[in-house]
Amino acid sequence: MKISFNWLKNYLDFNLSPERTAEILTDTGLEIEGLHKYEEIQGGLEGIVIGQVLSCNPHPDADRLNVTTVNLGNETVQIVCGAPNVKEGIKVVVSKVGTTLYPKSGKPFKIKKAKIRGVESAGMICAEDEIGMGDAHEGIMILPDTAEIGCAASDYFEIYKDYQLEIGLTPNRCDAMGHVGVARDLKAFLNYHEALNLDIILPETTLPSSVDQPSDVINIQIEDPNLCPRYVGACLDNISVKPSPKWLQDALKTIGLEPVNNIVDITNYVMFEFGTPMHAFDRSKIKGDITIKSSKKGTEFHTLDGERRKLLGSELMITSNNENLCIAGVFGGLNSGITEKTTSVFLESAIFNPTSIRKTAKAHGLQTDASFRFERGVDQTFTVKAMERAITLIQKVCDAKLTMSPVAVDHINQKRKTISFSTSFLNERLGTNLSPEDICTILYNLDFKCNEGLNNIIEVSVPQYRIDVTRPEDILEEVLRIYGFNKVDLPKKWHMSFPVEEGKNEENIQRTTAEWFVSSGFNEVLNNSLRKKDLVDGKQSSVAILNPLSKELETMRRSLFFGLLENISYNQNRQQNEQRLFEFGKSYFKSNVKYIETRELAFAITGKEHSQSWQHKERSLDFFDLKQRCESLLTKLGIKIKLQEGLNTNDLFERSYQYTIGNDILIEFGQAATKQCNVFGIKSKAFVAIGNWDNLLKYSNAKTIFKELPKTFFVRRDFSLILDAHIEYAAIEKLGYQSNNKLLKEVSLFDVYEGDKLPKGKKSYAVSFIFQDDQETLQDNIIDPIMEDIRMKLEKNLGAELRG
């Protein structure tokens, strides 16, 4: 939220710099995220002064140039000028040497001392477009004779200057959504720390005590007081819609609002003054009484932005004679808005249900200044005050006539909340030593009422606008933010104990696993757990967000799979084709009535094995690279299991494989389905593995064991096998280890052949078997029986035969 420094000073008489004001507001919990200097004209006309041309003579070497001498008050300078209207005696605007000009069009430029056709020129006599004050460039600006020589141009033209303070407003601070609310915090701080005894200066309102023979009467009806507990309306006539006066435009521009017209600008001004949104309707478009009721589902409504929106039936609408005028608290209607032809207005100031407004705004993708405030809950005490302020300004600016005094329909409970706590309760929790008097002084300056009772018990009456204060801990926060977080002393001694960790250090395992991926050439990614609905099967329903920020963030992610595909697509579109990515995160889904949250580790590879180089043969990463990475991960975690082919019961993979223990899936991996890749616009094959990190941690047994290198030699034997084409290498590996898993250390596939030299439907595998005993070198009489056993099992179970 943006506020104006000058505007803030209208409500509090203080003498602080903008920088110090920002520090204080940050200390009180209204964090200032940015402090920006605002100038009505860029550059603020710094270095530009009023001068008078003393002489004007033709340039000796240029027909269209003149050599002038100009009196700037404290000096006289020579300037070469090409304007056709320059002449002796006129008052002009002069940019001095070293000044940076910000023209209406084009880039800023700096004035330098120069020679023009051999004649020195020390400055520039300016046209209005050259200093950003207009569009005219036919000649230089000629000022009245009354202009003071040497006067700064910013003073002469009364250029408005201000500071914009950008507040990172937290959702609970609905009381600070206007300048008056911000001034309250500043007042509380200054009164407590500097004993200034300041009071908030609310703007005066001048309404007639009564409207003689009211010429306009509109009845107001509220169908559901829970959705609209208060509604105030009034009518004004004799309106002339035109641009706002300069002071009003300057105030709005400082906080980033573009002026529209005097009526709309006044409602915006009051909203940013009190934090209370207001709306103005063209009175001529209201054909009957005002009724606040829920919309009719399927009805089309034309909003101020020109869009036609289909109503859902849940919106609260401002209606007249069954015609929709406005989506209450969110957006006005095009047909009832203020135009240049408007001559009378109906003003609205109301309280709407925050939940209803938030749901409506999100459903239609609208985020307005009004909905921003109504969603958080506006100050109930300012509803009528804001109406009176708006009427006063419209009467002043537009010379309007009040034809219907403010009428309020009110269903708000006026009772204030009371909260009790003890002084010791506060000091023990805050680490302070505040007296009851200090506590009450702080709370009093924040508009709380305090009563001191027996045993240092303080009973606090909470202002109606502080809807976020509901319990003693909230009162403690109010006291601390004014007292000062930085004033709480840290203890000189710290007493702490370090628990002895038993079992697995999951955080350490995750950290070392991440480091292992990075050392293997992977990059870690971190994606949002909120995302759009993805192309997945419907067995496990998504967890939908009730009030999504946008269509892109409407569900909790069901897998890290989709985030990785988005990352791959994003990087490929930026010419980064070789990618190795991994991510730790959580997935969420709903199975029947149960919500399930799972920790996952996902990783993906795509592109070439190496960047293009004469040193390496070009090869694309494939399924087996991913499989190797999965096996290495399991080895690192101390998990020894064999691969199983999955049933591919989802649409994520072309064909998936799983590492499982019992019914627990540890890793599922494979080539990402073409359908999924097409959705994300991925241009090459992508291979993805999804690990259930909870299960991986459950079965991990990662221990570093140091073992002496064997002193014996290993023995290698090879088989060249002919098998049916559908048989996979994993089956051979499995049978090999079944024969002898003590001496057989490694099984490797080093050649595959499929061609016309083999019978149809057959292929050839060349497989090596590595044997080793740590105690003695193995002889043929030990190896041969084992190899024969392997051969027989391959022949019997797989139909394999040795190739000659």
Side-chain angles (χ1 to χ4, degrees):
M1 187 187 76
K2 299 172 183 176
I3 64 169
S4 155
F5 181 71
N6 289 348
W7 199 346
L8 191 64
K9 297 184 78 170
N10 291 338
Y11 315 109
L12 196 66
D13 185 14
F14 65 95
N15 187 24
L16 299 172
S17 68
E19 292 77 13
R20 177 56 182 153
T21 303
E23 290 176 10
I24 292 175
L25 291 176
T26 297
D27 288 343
T28 62
L30 299 177
E31 184 179 358
I32 301 300
E33 296 179 339
L35 177 63
H36 312 287
K37 188 175 183 179
Y38 171 82
E39 294 166 327
E40 180 185 354
I41 294 175
Q42 189 176 4
L45 302 185
E46 292 291 333
I48 303 175
V49 298
I50 308 303
Q52 184 174 29
V53 179
L54 300 179
S55 65
C56 180
N57 300 303
H59 191 288
D61 198 25
D63 294 338
R64 297 185 179 183
L65 298 179
N66 292 290
V67 180
T68 67
T69 54
V70 184
N71 178 13
L72 302 182
N74 59 354
E75 62 177 325
T76 299
V77 296
Q78 178 175 282
I79 299 175
V80 176
C81 179
N85 60 337
V86 65
K87 58 183 179 180
E88 184 178 318
I90 61 174
K91 300 283 182 71
V92 292
V93 177
V94 179
S95 177
K96 301 170 75 173
V97 172
T99 300
T100 299
L101 292 184
Y102 299 86
K104 271 282 187 177
S105 59
K107 297 180 180 179
F109 61 94
K110 192 172 185 178
I111 301 299
K112 300 178 181 178
K113 183 178 285 188
K115 278 191 176 183
I116 302 177
R117 293 288 184 94
V119 177
E120 283 194 357
S121 180
M124 177 177 174
I125 304 176
C126 302
E128 65 177 44
D129 69 324
E130 291 168 334
I131 60 174
M133 290 194 64
D135 299 315
H137 191 69
E138 293 78 17
I140 58 174
M141 296 180 71
I142 298 179
L143 306 179
D145 292 338
T146 54
E148 182 183 347
I149 298 172
C151 174
S154 59
D155 294 334
Y156 178 80
F157 291 110
E158 298 181 348
I159 300 301
Y160 183 76
K161 297 180 181 180
D162 198 353
Y163 282 87
Q164 180 195 91
L165 292 89
E166 190 169 350
I167 299 177
L169 195 66
T170 53
N172 64 308
R173 291 302 307 277
C174 59
D175 60 299
M177 293 189 294
H179 285 71
V180 171
V182 175
R184 276 191 296 230
D185 271 17
L186 192 59
K187 177 203 76 171
F189 184 94
L190 295 176
N191 282 355
Y192 178 74
H193 290 281
E194 300 184 18
L196 294 182
N197 198 28
L198 300 173
D199 283 319
I200 296 296
I201 307 167
L202 292 178
E204 294 184 2
T205 55
T206 54
L207 296 187
S209 56
S210 63
V211 178
D212 297 331
Q213 297 178 347
S215 56
D216 206 351
V217 176
I218 296 179
N219 294 316
I220 300 169
Q221 299 176 351
I222 301 174
E223 287 195 355
D224 189 349
N226 291 321
L227 297 179
C228 179
R230 175 181 289 165
Y231 193 94
V232 184
C235 293
L236 293 103
D237 199 358
N238 195 36
I239 300 285
S240 176
V241 177
K242 55 187 178 182
S244 298
K246 186 176 183 300
W247 68 267
L248 181 53
Q249 293 194 37
D250 287 339
L252 295 179
K253 287 178 179 178
T254 302
I255 58 173
L257 290 184
E258 195 62 33
V260 180
N261 58 54
N262 46 11
I263 300 299
V264 174
D265 292 349
I266 286 171
T267 58
N268 284 333
Y269 184 87
V270 173
M271 175 172 64
F272 279 90
E273 185 171 52
F274 291 109
T276 302
M278 300 197 65
H279 191 70
F281 300 88
D282 188 325
R283 174 65 183 89
S284 66
K285 303 299 175 64
I286 300 175
K287 304 303 182 183
D289 294 339
I290 291 292
T291 303
I292 299 96
K293 61 181 182 180
S294 295
S295 65
K296 185 177 179 182
K297 187 175 181 179
T299 305
E300 195 175 71
F301 183 61
H302 205 178
T303 48
L304 278 170
D305 58 357
E307 294 287 329
R308 293 188 180 274
R309 304 178 187 275
K310 193 162 284 188
L311 301 179
L312 307 174
S314 58
E315 303 91 344
L316 188 65
M317 304 297 294
I318 311 299
T319 69
S320 177
N321 198 24
N322 290 322
E323 181 182 348
N324 292 321
L325 303 176
C326 173
I327 303 177
V330 180
F331 216 24
L334 185 64
N335 295 331
S336 62
I338 304 299
T339 68
E340 294 179 355
K341 297 179 180 179
T342 299
T343 58
S344 60
V345 298
F346 174 75
L347 280 182
E348 165 195 283
S349 179
I351 301 291
F352 297 118
N353 182 281
T355 303
S356 172
I357 298 301
R358 182 168 56 252
K359 288 182 177 180
T360 297
K362 297 297 183 291
H364 290 285
L366 294 168
Q367 181 66 58
T368 61
D369 287 322
S371 69
F372 173 82
R373 286 160 174 77
F374 281 124
E375 286 175 16
R376 288 157 175 76
V378 301
D379 190 339
Q380 301 172 359
T381 61
F382 278 154
T383 315
V384 175
K385 184 71 177 176
M387 173 63 78
E388 294 174 348
R389 173 64 164 159
I391 292 172
T392 301
L393 288 174
I394 292 175
Q395 288 177 323
K396 175 183 176 182
V397 172
C398 307
D399 198 24
K401 177 183 178 183
L402 183 65
T403 55
M404 185 182 94
S405 294
V407 175
V409 179
D410 204 340
H411 299 278
I412 287 182
N413 182 3
Q414 304 288 342
K415 188 177 180 181
R416 292 171 63 134
K417 291 174 290 189
T418 57
I419 299 172
S420 299
F421 62 92
S422 67
T423 306
S424 59
F425 173 85
L426 181 143
N427 284 322
E428 286 172 5
R429 282 156 179 77
L430 298 186
T432 55
N433 190 28
L434 293 172
S435 67
E437 292 74 20
D438 284 331
I439 296 169
C440 291
T441 298
I442 291 173
L443 293 173
Y444 171 78
N445 280 297
L446 289 171
D447 293 346
F448 292 81
K449 294 180 180 178
C450 300
N451 288 318
E452 293 183 49
L454 297 175
N455 301 319
N456 288 329
I457 299 295
I458 301 175
E459 185 179 81
V460 177
S461 177
V462 182
Q464 281 185 302
Y465 62 82
R466 291 308 304 270
I467 60 177
D468 59 312
V469 178
T470 59
R471 54 182 183 161
E473 287 77 7
D474 297 329
I475 298 291
L476 269 58
E477 182 183 352
E478 293 301 299
V479 172
L480 182 58
R481 67 187 186 84
I482 299 302
Y483 174 73
F485 293 94
N486 297 329
K487 291 186 67 176
V488 177
D489 292 329
L490 293 175
K492 295 180 180 179
K493 287 186 177 181
W494 293 84
H495 301 282
M496 61 182 68
S497 58
F498 298 94
V500 177
E501 293 183 356
E502 296 182 0
K504 300 173 184 176
N505 186 332
E506 295 184 354
E507 190 174 305
N508 187 55
I509 294 173
Q510 181 171 325
R511 177 182 58 79
T512 55
T513 302
E515 291 174 351
W516 175 75
F517 270 106
V518 171
S519 67
S520 302
F522 280 72
N523 290 299
E524 186 172 9
V525 297
L526 183 63
N527 291 302
N528 198 333
S529 58
L530 296 177
R531 56 178 299 104
K532 61 185 177 182
K533 289 182 180 178
D534 296 301
L535 270 175
V536 290
D537 59 306
K539 290 187 176 181
Q540 299 163 336
S541 60
S542 299
V543 179
I545 303 299
L546 294 178
N547 298 302
L549 295 173
S550 70
K551 293 289 184 183
E552 299 296 312
L553 303 170
E554 61 183 345
T555 63
M556 304 289 284
R557 65 184 174 196
R558 294 167 61 174
S559 172
L560 302 188
F561 179 89
F562 305 100
L564 288 181
L565 292 190
E566 277 188 345
N567 299 141
I568 291 172
S569 174
Y570 181 90
N571 291 329
Q572 283 185 347
N573 291 335
R574 286 153 183 81
Q575 298 180 313
Q576 301 299 315
N577 297 318
E578 281 63 63
Q579 299 180 58
R580 294 172 176 82
L581 308 174
F582 77 98
E583 179 179 16
F584 285 97
K586 292 181 179 181
S587 63
Y588 314 83
F589 58 88
K590 183 180 179 183
S591 182
N592 298 323
V593 294
K594 187 178 180 181
Y595 290 96
I596 300 174
E597 181 177 321
T598 307
R599 288 182 291 179
E600 288 186 356
L601 163 62
F603 47 100
I605 59 175
T606 186
K608 305 294 183 184
E609 181 183 18
H610 301 288
S611 300
Q612 191 172 15
S613 169
W614 62 271
Q615 294 176 305
H616 305 289
K617 184 179 179 181
E618 189 173 280
R619 185 183 75 84
S620 296
L621 293 168
D622 58 23
F623 169 85
F624 297 101
D625 293 296
L626 183 66
K627 176 176 176 286
Q628 182 186 36
R629 184 57 47 191
C630 293
E631 291 177 346
S632 299
L633 172 64
L634 292 170
T635 300
K636 178 170 180 60
L637 294 175
I639 302 172
K640 296 181 179 180
I641 54 175
K642 298 302 175 185
L643 181 66
Q644 295 182 13
E645 184 174 353
L647 299 177
N648 201 22
T649 56
N650 57 48
D651 294 332
L652 303 185
F653 301 100
E654 293 291 341
R655 185 178 182 183
S656 67
Y657 291 79
Q658 295 176 347
Y659 288 100
T660 62
I661 297 179
N663 294 324
D664 293 336
I665 300 174
L666 275 64
I667 301 177
E668 183 174 11
F669 69 100
Q671 180 185 334
T674 303
K675 178 173 67 173
Q676 299 290 356
C677 291
N678 290 341
V679 169
F680 292 98
I682 295 175
K683 304 177 181 68
S684 61
K685 290 181 180 180
F687 301 91
V688 184
I690 305 296
N692 186 312
W693 187 242
D694 289 319
N695 288 339
L696 288 169
L697 288 173
K698 177 181 175 181
Y699 294 106
S700 67
N701 187 27
K703 293 182 179 179
T704 303
I705 299 175
F706 296 94
K707 187 178 179 182
E708 184 180 3
L709 289 173
K711 298 178 181 178
T712 61
F713 294 102
F714 66 80
V715 177
R716 170 175 169 163
R717 296 290 176 86
D718 296 342
F719 275 163
S720 180
L721 303 169
I722 299 177
L723 308 99
D724 292 337
H726 68 275
I727 294 176
E728 297 184 346
Y729 161 72
I732 301 172
E733 184 184 42
K734 182 178 180 182
L735 287 174
Y737 284 115
Q738 284 178 355
S739 296
N740 190 311
N741 60 6
K742 182 180 179 182
L743 298 180
L744 182 59
K745 302 299 183 182
E746 182 181 341
V747 182
S748 301
L749 176 67
F750 62 90
D751 188 42
V752 179
Y753 173 74
E754 291 181 272
D756 55 6
K757 295 181 180 180
L758 293 176
K760 187 176 181 181
K762 297 289 185 177
K763 63 181 176 182
S764 173
Y765 278 160
V767 184
S768 67
F769 299 87
I770 305 295
F771 298 92
Q772 190 170 30
D773 189 319
D774 293 343
Q775 303 303 320
E776 60 180 346
T777 301
L778 296 173
Q779 303 298 321
D780 289 346
N781 62 336
I782 298 176
I783 302 298
D784 289 345
I786 299 174
M787 290 300 295
E788 180 62 19
D789 184 52
I790 293 174
R791 185 194 67 77
M792 292 177 63
K793 286 181 177 179
L794 292 173
E795 183 178 332
K796 179 180 178 182
N797 296 324
L798 303 181
E801 56 182 273
L802 292 179
R803 187 179 180 187

